[in-house]
Amino acid sequence: MYKIIFLAVLCSISVALFENSYLIKNANKLQDFRDILESEFVSLVYFYSDQCENCQRAAGLIEKVAEDQEGIINVYGTNCDEINKDPKSNEQIPYCSSDVIQHLPQITFFEPPRQSINPYTNEKMIATEHRFQGEASPQSLGQYGYKFIPNHVIRINTLEELKKFETSDSKLNKVILFTKRKETSPLLKAMNIHYLERVKFGEIVASPETQSLLDEFDIKDLPQLVGLENNGDNTYNREIFDGDLLFKPIKKFVRGLASKDRIPYEQVNEQSSKKQEERKNRRQKQDDQEKNNEKQNVITAIKLDQNILNKQLLRNDKPAFLHVYKETPHKAWEDTIKKYKSLFDYYELQVNTQEDEELIKELQIKSYPSIRFYQVGNTAKKRASKISFTKEYSLDEINKDIQELIDDKTININEQSLQMQLSQYITDNNIVVLYFYQTPQVGLTYRVLSQLQEYHGKYKFLSFKNASQKVIDQFQIPNQPAITIIFRDVKDKKELEEELKPDQVKQALFTGKHGYDEIKSFLDSFDESKKTSNKKVQEIQNQEQLEEYCEKKQTLCYIALLNGEHKQVKHDDILTKWEYQLEVLDKIKNTHGSKQASFVFIDASCHDELLLKFDISDDALPNFVAYSSNKKIYSKLIGRFDYDSISKFIDKQYKGQSSNININSIQIIEKNCEEIFQKRKEASQQSGLSDFDEEILKEILEEERLKKKELEKELKKGKKKNKKSKDDL
């Protein structure tokens, strides 16, 4: 999911977008996108739908950008409704898929490649896609696009360099911009592309070192544009440009200097003053609306109590701050929230009651005001945290300690290991996140994200310090720190089970602000399972549901066999065993949900008819099986019912390393489980067990345990008599 703040605050316009705009081109066909991907110019593409109200509101903004950036950035409008009318177009143009439609409008920039041919693959390079994130305005969109414009303008610093500039490419006339700006003007860079190899462009930045160059041309006022018309003998007639430094006047001036075999820049029709006035009024309304709807994003701390402590602070694996005070807050608390924003969770406890006193005693906080810090980790690790910042600590001192406390768990790589590790992880269908940096340590935000449990198993977080220019060019990194994702792009999930093809390996460069929310949104957008992660694992209670999720789809069905009698039994001081089992399943689905499989659970202590089918005893619950109704086989978990064990079990399935057992079709009988449990409880209370009965029961359970142990040994040694297949699932 991508966060685009501007969508909610723009004014309304007509539904028929851009029909009267001569600056915005339609891009609704495959050929249009080929032109964009192969263009030498930066392109802005606005994806919209006729049914999207926010799309209508934001269109005025796009028109203003097109006016401001005429000749500098090409602006296109893509109607996803038109693309989706043709199934073939939808397959070939992946920018209007069903998940994208849900988040329209979207703005994407396409950056021309720095090299025409990839030196590693010898294939033609195409534009790099950069999806815009953040608050949009004509200025912010323009500035964002400028950094992608290729720069062919030559910087001239000395008289010797000027002479070399004048004598090279003798058939071409020259244009020099004298300026105070240290960065090359985007207008000049774009003009250079328009007349590439027909006019040569240079620039001289005014400074004490270049004063002799300004004197050579008698330049008094800046900026100033000068044309050099070649006389044929490497001498030039100098022509001072005396118009406005805008695209159209400069274009007209440069066109007069371009070589005779040039392709004339296409003429553009001037808009009537009436339409210009309409656009001006619309922009004014838009500005007024933006001011009226401006809201500050404020983070407030959660009030802490015993329940919040157990259910949230200790359970979440995200780092957290806890502010404890009685009358006077900690002097650095508000600034701490402002600095770290959504990178951490924030909790607050104002000590007023005896209950509050008991809570801080449990937390072993001896003085306040103080700020307690909880690192990334599980409940036990957080509960043991003793990292506190007393009232004397300043924000700078807190920040210094935080930078040292968050460990770097990323995989550090270098140029020698880069290709090997990328190949290994992509082959295993991991999403590879690669962080380029030049600072002493990996950025704090990236370190925190790389340790979150939700990314374990699916994502691989790599870090590359001081990469060579060769690697920087290969990955088209504009500046550092930078984050890019390498992933496997397939049209059908079944292709993930096949051998990796070179054309499936794709790269996406993160170009937004390096904030926690922005980066996390970028990471989550590459995992299909994240789009349905809010949906819990489905419970199966009858045959109809079983057929729906495990029979009709004809995919692998992962079934968790749970014990409903554990709903009141404590797992720890926070969760019951049943809650813990469901929590494990949710994490498993979030990690492996993109695979071609269904994830369900069944209360097998109630629906015990399945235990016989899967050859599982009731004391072996909870358990986990992989079931294929199509191939009539299953495989069951041997080991603990926890995240790591189940994850390894699933990975073995997809690598063809599982031991599978033949099975006939399974059936589940619809029952009132609560009623069954109640009757069992009553029967147990009425009958009771003598000491002798308990001894017999213990012997039976021990006998069952030994049988299970022997069975596990046989399975490991491959002695099981049932026919097995390692490739069927």
Side-chain angles (χ1 to χ4, degrees):
M1 183 180 293
Y2 295 90
K3 180 182 178 184
I4 305 180
I5 301 172
F6 72 91
L7 300 183
V9 298
L10 301 176
C11 61
S12 298
I13 64 168
S14 172
V15 174
L17 299 186
F18 315 129
E19 64 177 359
N20 295 320
S21 176
Y22 70 97
L23 292 172
I24 300 176
K25 302 175 183 178
N26 290 323
N28 298 326
K29 298 178 181 178
L30 181 61
Q31 185 56 51
D32 298 330
F33 277 91
R34 283 179 181 155
D35 294 341
I36 292 170
L37 293 172
E38 295 174 3
S39 174
E40 295 176 321
F41 291 89
V42 174
S43 298
L44 179 158
V45 182
Y46 179 70
F47 295 95
Y48 67 93
S49 166
D50 290 335
Q51 309 304 316
C52 166
E53 291 185 7
N54 282 332
C55 299
Q56 317 300 316
R57 296 191 184 102
L61 170 69
I62 303 304
E63 287 189 348
K64 178 63 169 69
V65 173
E67 290 175 27
D68 293 347
Q69 307 306 328
E70 180 182 1
I72 301 174
I73 297 174
N74 292 336
V75 180
Y76 295 84
T78 295
N79 188 338
C80 287
D81 297 333
E82 292 295 321
I83 286 181
N84 289 333
K85 286 179 181 178
D86 182 1
K88 292 184 179 178
S89 294
N90 192 19
E91 289 178 8
Q92 295 174 311
I93 305 175
Y95 307 108
C96 287
S97 58
S98 57
D99 59 310
V100 173
I101 292 264
Q102 297 173 15
H103 307 296
L104 293 178
Q106 287 192 4
I107 297 173
T108 298
F109 285 82
F110 290 85
E111 176 189 4
R114 299 186 183 185
Q115 305 172 70
S116 57
I117 302 296
N118 188 318
Y120 293 92
T121 63
N122 291 323
E123 295 179 355
K124 187 175 181 179
M125 297 186 72
I126 59 174
T128 303
E129 175 184 340
H130 302 282
R131 189 166 296 179
F132 179 80
Q133 297 173 302
E135 187 171 359
S137 67
Q139 293 74 27
S140 65
L141 288 170
Q143 291 296 326
Y144 186 76
Y146 290 161
K147 61 186 178 182
F148 303 131
I149 302 175
N151 189 2
H152 303 290
V153 179
I154 297 172
R155 180 68 61 91
I156 303 169
N157 296 306
T158 65
L159 287 169
E160 184 180 350
E161 289 178 0
L162 173 63
K163 184 177 180 180
K164 183 178 179 181
F165 173 77
E166 290 178 333
T167 55
S168 61
D169 298 314
S170 58
K171 293 182 180 181
L172 297 181
N173 292 328
K174 315 292 194 295
V175 172
I176 300 176
L177 175 68
F178 293 84
T179 178
K180 293 179 180 179
R181 292 181 54 174
K182 293 182 179 180
E183 294 183 358
T184 304
S185 161
L187 192 154
L188 191 67
K189 290 193 288 185
M191 194 65 68
N192 196 161
I193 298 171
H194 280 291
Y195 293 100
L196 193 63
E197 298 181 347
R198 288 178 281 152
V199 175
K200 194 164 186 177
F201 287 79
E203 65 176 343
I204 296 174
V205 178
S207 69
E209 291 76 16
T210 60
Q211 186 58 48
S212 60
L213 294 171
L214 274 70
D215 295 340
E216 173 72 19
F217 285 83
D218 195 25
I219 300 297
K220 304 298 183 184
D221 300 318
L222 297 173
Q224 183 64 65
L225 200 66
V226 177
L228 304 179
E229 187 172 6
N230 197 330
N231 293 319
D233 57 357
N234 281 336
T235 62
Y236 293 87
N237 294 324
R238 297 174 180 177
E239 182 180 355
I240 304 295
F241 173 71
D242 60 357
D244 295 328
L245 288 172
L246 301 172
F247 174 73
K248 286 184 179 180
I250 294 176
K251 180 201 71 173
K252 185 177 180 180
F253 175 74
V254 173
R255 186 170 57 188
L257 294 168
S259 60
K260 301 300 180 182
D261 58 342
R262 69 185 185 277
I263 301 174
Y265 186 68
E266 61 181 352
Q267 299 297 314
V268 292
N269 299 319
E270 297 295 332
Q271 290 288 298
S272 66
S273 59
K274 181 180 178 181
K275 289 183 178 178
Q276 290 177 359
E277 186 65 26
E278 288 175 354
R279 288 198 300 271
K280 182 179 178 181
N281 292 337
R282 191 163 62 239
R283 289 198 301 270
Q284 185 61 48
K285 288 181 181 178
Q286 173 185 316
D287 293 340
D288 293 342
Q289 188 72 16
E290 286 178 351
K291 290 176 183 178
N292 292 334
N293 288 276
E294 214 169 51
K295 292 182 180 179
Q296 187 178 6
N297 185 22
V298 178
I299 297 174
T300 56
I302 299 170
K303 302 300 180 185
L304 189 76
D305 56 28
Q306 189 69 53
N307 184 57
I308 295 294
L309 173 68
N310 290 336
K311 296 288 187 180
Q312 291 188 35
L313 194 155
L314 296 178
R315 297 303 299 177
N316 297 342
D317 64 346
K318 190 176 176 182
F321 281 113
L322 169 61
H323 177 216
V324 178
Y325 70 102
K326 190 163 189 176
E327 295 176 355
T328 306
H330 194 291
K331 63 181 181 180
W333 177 240
E334 293 297 329
D335 290 336
T336 299
I337 295 178
K338 289 177 184 177
K339 179 175 182 60
Y340 295 111
K341 299 178 182 177
S342 53
L343 180 60
F344 302 136
D345 287 336
Y346 302 92
Y347 300 88
E348 196 167 53
L349 174 61
Q350 185 173 11
V351 183
N352 291 321
T353 66
Q354 182 62 35
E355 191 177 52
D356 296 334
E357 295 280 1
E358 291 174 0
L359 187 55
I360 64 169
K361 189 179 291 184
E362 178 186 335
L363 295 170
Q364 299 182 42
I365 295 175
K366 298 179 180 179
S367 65
Y368 42 82
S370 68
I371 299 174
R372 170 70 60 86
F373 180 64
Y374 295 88
Q375 299 187 64
V376 178
N378 56 28
T379 302
K381 184 176 180 180
K382 284 195 169 185
R383 190 177 288 281
S385 177
K386 300 292 189 298
I387 304 165
S388 291
F389 303 102
T390 55
K391 62 182 181 180
E392 294 82 14
Y393 272 79
S394 66
L395 176 62
D396 289 341
E397 290 171 323
I398 292 174
N399 182 56
K400 184 179 178 181
D401 284 356
I402 294 299
Q403 292 287 346
E404 295 176 357
L405 287 167
I406 304 292
D407 296 330
D408 179 13
K409 298 292 182 64
T410 64
I411 303 168
N412 304 122
I413 60 171
N414 53 41
E415 197 162 344
Q416 288 69 41
S417 61
L418 174 63
Q419 296 295 342
M420 180 185 71
Q421 292 193 287
L422 279 182
S423 176
Q424 174 190 336
Y425 295 140
I426 296 300
T427 301
D428 290 340
N429 297 323
N430 292 123
I431 297 169
V432 180
V433 191
L434 184 52
Y435 181 84
F436 292 91
Y437 69 107
Q438 296 172 308
T439 51
Q441 62 183 149
V442 172
L444 181 65
T445 303
Y446 189 71
R447 279 182 275 156
V448 170
L449 285 164
S450 69
Q451 295 183 47
L452 296 184
Q453 181 68 41
E454 63 187 277
Y455 294 126
H456 287 188
K458 184 68 176 176
Y459 288 73
K460 295 294 181 183
F461 288 84
L462 280 59
S463 54
F464 199 139
K465 185 175 182 179
N466 296 329
S468 67
Q469 191 59 45
K470 175 183 175 182
V471 174
I472 294 298
D473 290 342
Q474 178 187 358
F475 288 94
Q476 300 189 31
I477 303 300
N479 44 54
Q480 297 184 61
I483 296 173
T484 190
I485 281 185
I486 315 297
F487 63 103
R488 187 175 181 182
D489 186 26
V490 296
K491 293 180 180 179
D492 191 330
K493 291 181 182 179
K494 292 181 180 178
E495 295 181 52
L496 295 173
E497 302 172 28
E498 300 171 358
E499 187 176 345
L500 177 67
K501 299 175 183 176
D503 61 352
Q504 293 175 341
V505 181
K506 304 292 183 183
Q507 176 189 353
L509 182 67
F510 175 67
T511 56
K513 180 182 176 183
H514 277 230
Y516 176 85
D517 290 332
E518 291 82 359
I519 299 175
K520 191 173 190 306
S521 176
F522 177 69
L523 298 179
D524 291 347
S525 67
F526 290 88
D527 187 0
E528 289 294 324
S529 66
K530 292 285 181 183
K531 296 163 188 172
T532 57
S533 60
N534 290 331
K535 295 181 180 179
K536 302 296 183 182
V537 178
Q538 175 67 36
E539 181 176 8
I540 301 298
Q541 297 175 309
N542 54 52
Q543 188 64 25
E544 183 180 351
Q545 291 175 329
L546 182 67
E547 291 176 358
E548 176 67 26
Y549 288 91
C550 294
E551 305 278 347
K552 291 181 181 178
K553 293 184 179 181
Q554 293 195 345
T555 58
L556 193 59
C557 188
Y558 287 113
I559 306 174
L561 300 170
L562 306 185
N563 188 342
E565 295 179 335
H566 286 166
K567 289 182 180 179
Q568 304 303 323
V569 180
K570 284 287 187 180
H571 168 71
D572 53 27
D573 57 353
I574 299 173
L575 299 178
T576 65
K577 288 188 175 182
W578 179 264
E579 289 172 332
Y580 168 74
Q581 291 161 17
L582 293 180
E583 185 180 85
V584 169
L585 290 180
D586 287 337
K587 289 182 179 179
I588 288 294
K589 185 182 178 185
N590 286 342
T591 302
H592 300 279
S594 61
K595 292 182 169 66
Q596 283 286 97
S598 297
F599 289 81
V600 301
F601 74 90
I602 297 173
D603 184 348
S605 59
C606 171
H607 301 281
D608 49 8
E609 63 272 15
L610 294 178
L611 297 179
L612 184 61
K613 279 285 186 180
F614 290 121
D615 192 24
I616 294 173
S617 61
D618 55 1
D619 66 320
L621 295 179
N623 214 307
F624 194 83
V625 300
Y627 167 65
S628 172
S629 61
N630 187 35
K631 298 174 182 176
K632 306 294 184 190
I633 52 176
Y634 78 95
S635 178
K636 59 185 177 182
L637 172 71
I638 303 295
R640 294 171 58 85
F641 189 95
D642 57 27
Y643 176 84
D644 290 335
S645 299
I646 297 175
S647 260
K648 290 176 183 177
F649 173 74
I650 292 174
D651 288 338
K652 283 185 177 181
Q653 301 295 316
Y654 276 83
K655 292 178 180 179
Q657 298 173 352
S658 60
S659 297
N660 303 319
I661 306 168
N662 292 332
I663 188 175
N664 295 324
S665 59
I666 60 175
Q667 290 188 332
I668 181 171
I669 302 170
E670 189 166 0
K671 302 176 182 178
N672 186 331
C673 294
E674 292 301 322
E675 186 178 312
I676 290 173
F677 293 150
Q678 185 61 32
K679 287 181 178 179
R680 286 180 187 172
K681 185 177 180 181
E682 291 172 358
S684 175
Q685 290 173 346
Q686 289 174 6
S687 63
L689 287 175
S690 66
D691 292 342
F692 179 71
D693 291 331
E694 287 193 8
E695 287 298 319
I696 293 176
L697 180 59
K698 287 180 182 178
E699 289 179 10
I700 293 172
L701 291 175
E702 179 63 16
E703 189 173 304
E704 287 291 330
R705 188 186 70 80
L706 293 173
K707 283 182 180 179
K708 181 180 177 182
K709 193 172 181 180
E710 286 298 318
L711 180 60
E712 289 175 359
K713 287 182 180 179
E714 288 182 11
L715 285 172
K716 287 179 181 178
K717 294 178 181 179
K719 292 183 177 181
K720 193 167 181 63
K721 295 179 180 179
N722 301 65
K723 184 179 179 181
K724 301 173 184 178
S725 167
K726 290 187 177 181
D727 302 311
D728 287 339
L729 284 182

